Coordinates of all heavy atoms in Angstrom, one line a residue:
R1 N 54.8 -0.3 -52.8 CA 55.9 -0.7 -52.0 C 55.8 -0.4 -50.5 O 56.6 -0.8 -49.7 CB 57.2 -0.1 -52.5 CG 57.6 -0.7 -53.9 CD 59.1 -0.5 -54.2 NE 59.4 -1.1 -55.5 CZ 59.7 -2.4 -55.7 NH1 59.7 -3.2 -54.6 NH2 60.0 -2.8 -56.9
E2 N 54.7 0.3 -50.1 CA 54.5 0.6 -48.7 C 54.4 -0.6 -47.8 O 55.0 -0.6 -46.7 CB 53.3 1.5 -48.6 CG 53.2 2.2 -47.2 CD 52.3 3.4 -47.2 OE1 51.9 3.8 -48.3 OE2 51.9 3.8 -46.1
P3 N 53.7 -1.7 -48.2 CA 53.7 -2.9 -47.4 C 55.1 -3.5 -47.1 O 55.4 -4.1 -46.1 CB 52.9 -3.9 -48.2 CG 51.9 -3.1 -48.9 CD 52.8 -1.9 -49.3
E4 N 56.1 -3.2 -48.0 CA 57.5 -3.6 -47.7 C 58.1 -2.9 -46.5 O 58.9 -3.4 -45.7 CB 58.4 -3.3 -48.9 CG 58.1 -4.1 -50.1 CD 58.9 -3.7 -51.3 OE1 59.6 -2.6 -51.2 OE2 59.0 -4.5 -52.3
R5 N 57.6 -1.7 -46.2 CA 58.0 -0.9 -45.1 C 57.3 -1.4 -43.8 O 57.9 -1.3 -42.7 CB 57.8 0.6 -45.3 CG 58.7 1.1 -46.4 CD 58.6 2.7 -46.5 NE 57.4 3.1 -47.2 CZ 57.3 3.2 -48.6 NH1 58.4 2.9 -49.3 NH2 56.2 3.7 -49.1
W6 N 56.1 -1.8 -43.9 CA 55.4 -2.4 -42.8 C 55.9 -3.7 -42.3 O 56.0 -4.0 -41.2 CB 53.9 -2.5 -43.1 CG 53.2 -1.2 -43.5 CD1 53.6 0.0 -43.2 CD2 52.1 -1.2 -44.4 NE1 52.7 0.9 -43.8 CE2 51.8 0.2 -44.5 CE3 51.3 -2.1 -45.0 CZ2 50.7 0.7 -45.3 CZ3 50.2 -1.6 -45.8 CH2 49.9 -0.3 -45.9
E7 N 56.2 -4.6 -43.3 CA 56.8 -5.9 -43.1 C 58.0 -6.1 -44.0 O 57.9 -6.4 -45.2 CB 55.7 -7.0 -43.4 CG 56.1 -8.4 -43.4 CD 57.0 -8.8 -42.3 OE1 56.4 -8.9 -41.1 OE2 58.2 -8.9 -42.4
P8 N 59.2 -5.9 -43.4 CA 60.4 -5.9 -44.3 C 60.7 -7.2 -45.0 O 61.6 -7.2 -45.8 CB 61.5 -5.5 -43.2 CG 60.8 -4.8 -42.1 CD 59.5 -5.5 -42.1
R9 N 60.1 -8.3 -44.6 CA 60.4 -9.6 -45.2 C 59.6 -9.7 -46.5 O 59.8 -10.7 -47.3 CB 60.0 -10.7 -44.3 CG 61.0 -10.8 -43.1 CD 60.5 -11.8 -42.1 NE 59.3 -11.3 -41.4 CZ 58.6 -12.0 -40.4 NH1 59.0 -13.1 -40.0 NH2 57.5 -11.4 -39.9
L10 N 58.7 -8.8 -46.8 CA 58.0 -8.8 -48.1 C 58.7 -8.0 -49.2 O 59.4 -7.0 -48.9 CB 56.6 -8.1 -47.9 CG 55.5 -8.8 -47.1 CD1 54.3 -8.0 -47.0 CD2 55.2 -10.2 -47.6
R11 N 58.6 -8.5 -50.4 CA 59.1 -7.8 -51.6 C 58.0 -7.8 -52.7 O 57.4 -8.9 -53.0 CB 60.4 -8.4 -52.1 CG 61.6 -8.1 -51.4 CD 62.0 -6.6 -51.5 NE 63.1 -6.2 -50.6 CZ 63.0 -5.8 -49.3 NH1 61.9 -5.8 -48.8 NH2 64.1 -5.5 -48.7
L12 N 57.7 -6.6 -53.2 CA 56.8 -6.6 -54.3 C 57.3 -7.4 -55.5 O 58.3 -7.1 -56.0 CB 56.5 -5.1 -54.7 CG 55.5 -4.9 -55.8 CD1 54.1 -5.3 -55.4 CD2 55.6 -3.4 -56.3
A13 N 56.5 -8.4 -55.9 CA 56.9 -9.2 -57.0 C 56.2 -8.8 -58.3 O 56.7 -9.0 -59.4 CB 56.6 -10.7 -56.7
Q14 N 55.0 -8.2 -58.2 CA 54.2 -7.9 -59.4 C 53.1 -6.9 -59.0 O 52.4 -7.1 -58.0 CB 53.6 -9.1 -60.0 CG 52.9 -8.9 -61.3 CD 52.4 -10.3 -61.9 OE1 52.2 -11.2 -61.1 NE2 52.1 -10.3 -63.2
E15 N 53.0 -5.9 -59.8 CA 51.8 -5.0 -59.7 C 51.0 -5.1 -61.0 O 51.5 -4.8 -62.1 CB 52.3 -3.5 -59.6 CG 51.1 -2.6 -59.5 CD 51.6 -1.1 -59.4 OE1 52.7 -0.8 -59.8 OE2 50.7 -0.2 -59.0
I16 N 49.8 -5.7 -60.9 CA 49.0 -5.9 -62.1 C 48.0 -4.8 -62.2 O 47.1 -4.7 -61.4 CB 48.3 -7.3 -62.0 CG1 49.2 -8.4 -61.8 CG2 47.4 -7.5 -63.2 CD1 48.6 -9.8 -61.4
L17 N 48.2 -4.0 -63.2 CA 47.3 -2.8 -63.4 C 46.2 -3.3 -64.5 O 46.6 -3.7 -65.6 CB 48.0 -1.6 -64.0 CG 49.2 -1.1 -63.1 CD1 50.0 0.0 -63.8 CD2 48.6 -0.6 -61.8
L18 N 45.0 -3.3 -64.1 CA 44.0 -3.9 -65.0 C 43.8 -3.0 -66.2 O 43.3 -3.5 -67.2 CB 42.6 -4.0 -64.2 CG 42.6 -5.1 -63.1 CD1 41.1 -5.4 -62.8 CD2 43.3 -6.4 -63.5
T19 N 44.2 -1.8 -66.2 CA 44.1 -1.0 -67.4 C 45.1 -1.5 -68.5 O 44.9 -1.2 -69.6 CB 44.5 0.5 -67.1 OG1 45.9 0.5 -66.6 CG2 43.6 1.2 -66.1
R20 N 46.1 -2.3 -68.1 CA 47.0 -2.8 -69.0 C 46.9 -4.3 -69.2 O 47.7 -5.0 -69.9 CB 48.5 -2.5 -68.5 CG 48.7 -1.0 -68.4 CD 50.1 -0.7 -67.8 NE 50.2 0.7 -67.6 CZ 51.3 1.3 -67.0 NH1 52.2 0.5 -66.4 NH2 51.3 2.6 -66.8
A21 N 45.8 -4.9 -68.8 CA 45.5 -6.3 -68.9 C 45.1 -6.6 -70.4 O 44.5 -5.8 -71.0 CB 44.4 -6.8 -68.0
P22 N 45.5 -7.8 -70.9 CA 45.1 -8.1 -72.3 C 43.6 -8.2 -72.5 O 43.2 -8.0 -73.6 CB 45.8 -9.5 -72.5 CG 46.1 -10.0 -71.1 CD 46.3 -8.8 -70.3
E23 N 42.9 -8.4 -71.4 CA 41.4 -8.5 -71.5 C 40.8 -7.2 -71.9 O 39.6 -7.2 -72.4 CB 40.8 -9.0 -70.2 CG 41.1 -10.5 -69.9 CD 42.4 -10.6 -69.1 OE1 43.2 -9.6 -69.0 OE2 42.7 -11.7 -68.7
V24 N 41.5 -6.1 -71.8 CA 41.0 -4.8 -72.2 C 40.5 -4.8 -73.7 O 39.6 -4.1 -74.0 CB 42.0 -3.7 -71.9 CG1 41.5 -2.3 -72.5 CG2 42.2 -3.5 -70.4
A25 N 41.2 -5.6 -74.5 CA 40.8 -5.7 -75.9 C 39.4 -6.1 -76.1 O 38.8 -5.8 -77.2 CB 41.8 -6.6 -76.6

């Protein structure tokens, strides 16, 4: 969420953690 503080017009919509991606299977 730090970029939201640098540019207040941004909002984090999604954090994709590859450790939790379905491809890990």
Side-chain angles (χ1 to χ4, degrees):
R1 293 199 175 275
E2 196 161 346
E4 296 178 342
R5 295 188 277 275
W6 303 332
E7 170 47 73
R9 291 169 291 180
L10 290 179
R11 282 294 176 269
L12 180 66
Q14 187 180 20
E15 178 184 19
I16 304 172
L17 302 173
L18 292 196
T19 59
R20 299 174 184 173
E23 291 87 353
V24 171

